[in-house]
Amino acid sequence: MSPNDDLVLAHREPLAEGHATVITLNRPDKLNAWTGAMRTRLVGLFEEAGADPGCRAVVLTGSGNAFCAGQDLAETRDIDPADHAAAEAWIDDFDLLYRALRGIDKPTIAAVNGVAAGSGFQFALLADLRVGHPGVRMGQPEVRSGIPSVTGIWAMWDILGKARTIEFTLTGELVDGDEAHRLGLLTRLVPGRDEVLPAALALADSLASLPPGAVALTKARLREIDDEALTDSITAAKRVHAQAYASGEPQREMERFLAKRR
């Protein structure tokens, strides 16, 4: 068993129709910040869930007090400023992950149990529906680590519109669950953290009773609407991140951030 199998867990929860595949990021001491290996594991689990005829929904969550704090900066701070290929490969990694989640022809629900930040925030927004609680913290603080937000703009734009997307990307501030719900970042709000996963599973149970063919075709059309924008975003991200990493600014800011936490 790979060590990453312990960092990303999967199990089945019975539903009235089939089962839900529950996928849990399991790195609570790091707020479930992920590495490239963890994302590779996620892609594999998404492919398995998509091919499983008994799986009628996928629920994503995190262990401990976080959903996902985004990229583990200890992994990306050492990217060589002259290594443009490494910066591009990092973006390709997210492209693969995002498309794997979007490509599941079954309802996907993010059970946002705690902080969802940076690429973890984007990941939550890619689920069809999101359940959270007032103590949730959600946002796009990448700029504070010297990382330009490009795919984050794409992920937020249709939900927040131009003005709030600019605010989120340039201030890097996080909002609580009540505000996230008001803005549409969370589609359902429950009173407390312990109720998030049960509520997400109840929602999965309801969606699992829908005709699967109609669900799959509806999701396919939803993907078609913004697939071109995603492709454009990935292309732009490669160009922008190559420029950013070539300057060395992200590496310096990430090292400064990590030094504060030591």
Side-chain angles (χ1 to χ4, degrees):
M1 178 180 290
S2 164
N4 295 296
D5 292 350
D6 293 328
L7 299 179
V8 182
L9 305 175
H11 73 275
R12 296 179 176 183
E13 285 284 345
L15 304 174
E17 298 279 348
H19 62 264
T21 297
V22 179
I23 298 174
T24 305
L25 296 176
N26 186 39
R27 204 183 179 204
D29 57 321
K30 298 293 185 181
L31 298 181
N32 300 318
W34 49 23
T35 63
M38 290 170 67
R39 291 190 294 274
T40 297
R41 164 83 168 145
L42 282 167
V43 169
L45 290 173
F46 292 156
E47 291 173 348
E48 290 175 15
D52 181 354
C55 175
R56 298 295 298 271
V58 175
V59 176
L60 312 168
T61 193
S63 59
N65 298 325
F67 177 76
C68 177
Q71 173 65 44
D72 183 343
L73 299 183
E75 182 180 65
T76 51
R77 67 177 172 184
D78 296 326
I79 292 179
D80 186 334
D83 191 351
H84 292 189
E88 288 199 3
W90 184 53
I91 298 300
D92 282 333
D93 185 44
F94 280 101
D95 186 27
L96 184 63
L97 174 70
Y98 289 1
R99 292 185 189 279
L101 175 54
R102 282 163 53 86
I104 299 173
D105 285 331
K106 301 162 186 181
T108 58
I109 303 162
V112 185
N113 54 307
V115 65
S119 55
F121 171 57
Q122 297 169 35
F123 184 63
L125 296 187
L126 294 184
D128 298 321
L129 300 168
R130 293 161 296 283
V131 180
H133 63 94
V136 159
R137 301 284 288 168
M138 300 182 77
Q140 192 69 34
E142 293 178 320
V143 69
R144 298 186 177 195
S145 298
I147 302 172
S149 182
V150 181
T151 55
I153 293 173
W154 166 79
M156 290 185 285
W157 194 271
D158 286 340
I159 298 174
L160 295 177
K162 181 178 180 179
R164 294 309 295 262
T165 297
I166 291 173
E167 180 182 357
F168 269 64
T169 52
L170 291 186
T171 68
E173 293 178 355
L174 306 183
V175 297
D176 63 20
D178 288 316
E179 179 69 357
H181 184 239
R182 188 184 73 79
L183 292 172
L185 299 170
L186 291 175
T187 46
R188 297 199 179 181
L189 195 69
V190 296
R193 178 183 294 115
D194 292 344
E195 298 164 80
V196 171
L197 183 56
L201 288 169
L203 185 55
D205 205 359
S206 174
L207 295 172
S209 67
L210 298 173
V215 169
L217 289 171
T218 299
K219 290 199 61 174
R221 176 56 189 149
L222 289 169
R223 284 195 299 273
E224 286 177 351
I225 290 172
D226 65 353
D227 248 357
E228 186 174 338
L230 173 57
T231 299
D232 177 70
S233 178
I234 293 298
T235 300
K238 289 181 179 181
R239 170 175 49 82
V240 172
H241 282 81
Q243 293 172 343
Y245 276 90
S247 75
E249 182 178 77
Q251 295 92 324
R252 292 193 300 271
E253 293 300 322
M254 284 186 276
E255 178 57 35
R256 184 177 295 120
F257 174 83
L258 292 167
K260 289 179 182 178
R261 302 189 62 177
R262 291 191 187 112

